[in-house]
Amino acid sequence: VLFFAPISDIKNKLIYYKFLCPNNKILPKFNWLSYDIEKIIYLYNNLIKILLDYYNTSFIDNYNDLLGFIWHIFSISCSKLLA
């Protein structure tokens, strides 16, 4: 039996929380702009850790795909916010 993380559902939640546009454009989280750099990086790293820890405990078979997807979205979003 193979278990897969629902990447399309995660993508829809990222669109809902305004990390992505429906056309797959990655957005910075502008309401975090008032925080200092360390806090912003901490928040992004914490989101990555929470998502990956949640799905890693599920023993999913597409963990590497999920890791690449999550890392790509949040690292670009963080970079755009800090630029």
Side-chain angles (χ1 to χ4, degrees), residues 16-48:
Y16 177 79
Y17 289 109
K18 308 243 190 297
F19 286 100
L20 279 174
C21 283
N23 63 357
N24 294 332
K25 182 179 177 185
I26 300 171
L27 301 172
K29 198 70 170 163
F30 285 117
N31 57 344
W32 293 352
L33 197 55
S34 61
Y35 299 137
D36 61 349
I37 293 173
E38 291 83 14
K39 177 75 172 181
I40 292 170
I41 293 172
Y42 170 79
L43 290 170
Y44 276 105
N45 282 337
N46 199 32
L47 284 173
I48 293 169

Side-chain angles (χ1 to χ4, degrees), residues 12 18 20-21 42 52 57 62 82:
N12 289 335
K18 308 243 190 297
L20 279 174
C21 283
Y42 170 79
L52 294 180
T57 59
N62 64 340
L82 295 175

